[in-house]
Amino acid sequence: MFKVFATDVVVSKGYDNSSALKYSDDGTSVRFRIGKKVYDTRAENNTRWVNVSVKAFGTVCERIKKMQLKEGSFIHIAGRLDEDNWVDTTTNEKKSQIVIILDEIEYASGGGNKSKDNQQANAAPATTPAAPASTPESSPNFEGYTPFGGGSFFDA
């Protein structure tokens, strides 16, 4: 299995005005989609949305119920990449799609607007000069980086 981490993703709207989260009849599993806006020079306005299906079972499903997750919620997730297979009931065609099986989920900040008081409290005082950055490159004795283990991963 591939381990998947997604940070600051948003719970996508449900398809055709349906609920964003779809719980099983017995309430032990849930399905939903997450989305993330990504930079793409080929897309209109240089951005597009990437959406992925997510499934949760057992205790993770219970956690989602307690979180009262809904469309537009910003979350961080960790899970396993898998593939769903099914037969389309109208065309009898075999279909598949990538899905993330959740192991962990938590709320993300969502990048909402901060209050002016909070911004001013976190701002550095205007009279304090910034300390100069001390990096290895700024040292007069810096001779460059040496790859760990001797060679470069890309040398063939």
Side-chain angles (χ1 to χ4, degrees), residues 2-5 77-81 100-104:
F2 292 99
K3 191 72 171 177
V4 176
F5 299 93
I77 63 168
R80 296 163 286 143
L81 199 59
I100 297 171
I101 309 297
L102 278 186
D103 293 327
E104 299 176 34

Side-chain angles (χ1 to χ4, degrees), residues 4-148:
V4 176
F5 299 93
T7 59
D8 294 324
V9 294
V10 66
V11 175
S12 302
K13 291 181 183 179
Y15 179 73
D16 202 21
N17 293 325
S18 63
S19 175
L21 282 81
K22 295 174 184 74
Y23 289 92
S24 63
D25 291 337
D26 62 0
T28 60
S29 68
V30 63
R31 295 181 65 101
F32 60 98
R33 294 179 62 79
I34 57 170
K36 179 85 173 183
K37 196 177 210 180
V38 296
Y39 177 75
D40 184 350
T41 57
R42 298 169 293 171
E44 185 177 329
N45 297 325
N46 292 327
T47 59
R48 65 182 170 87
W49 281 89
V50 173
N51 291 288
V52 180
S53 293
V54 177
K55 292 194 305 190
F57 302 95
T59 57
V60 180
C61 181
E62 291 300 318
R63 178 170 171 80
I64 290 170
K65 287 178 189 175
K66 290 178 184 175
M67 291 172 71
Q68 298 179 355
L69 211 57
K70 60 185 176 188
E71 82 176 50
S73 297
F74 281 83
I75 55 175
H76 303 302
I77 63 168
R80 296 163 286 143
L81 199 59
D82 204 347
E83 184 178 45
D84 259 355
N85 297 300
W86 71 95
V87 176
D88 187 313
T89 55
T90 58
T91 64
N92 289 330
E93 184 180 352
K94 290 184 178 182
K95 297 200 174 202
S96 66
Q97 83 175 22
I98 297 296
V99 65
I100 297 171
I101 309 297
L102 278 186
D103 293 327
E104 299 176 34
I105 184 169
E106 64 183 30
Y107 283 115
S109 67
N113 293 332
K114 295 179 181 177
S115 70
K116 286 185 179 181
D117 293 336
N118 192 18
Q119 288 176 355
Q120 290 172 350
N122 292 330
T127 58
T128 305
S134 176
T135 62
E137 295 89 351
S138 64
S139 169
N141 298 329
F142 180 71
E143 295 178 359
Y145 292 103
T146 304
F148 179 76

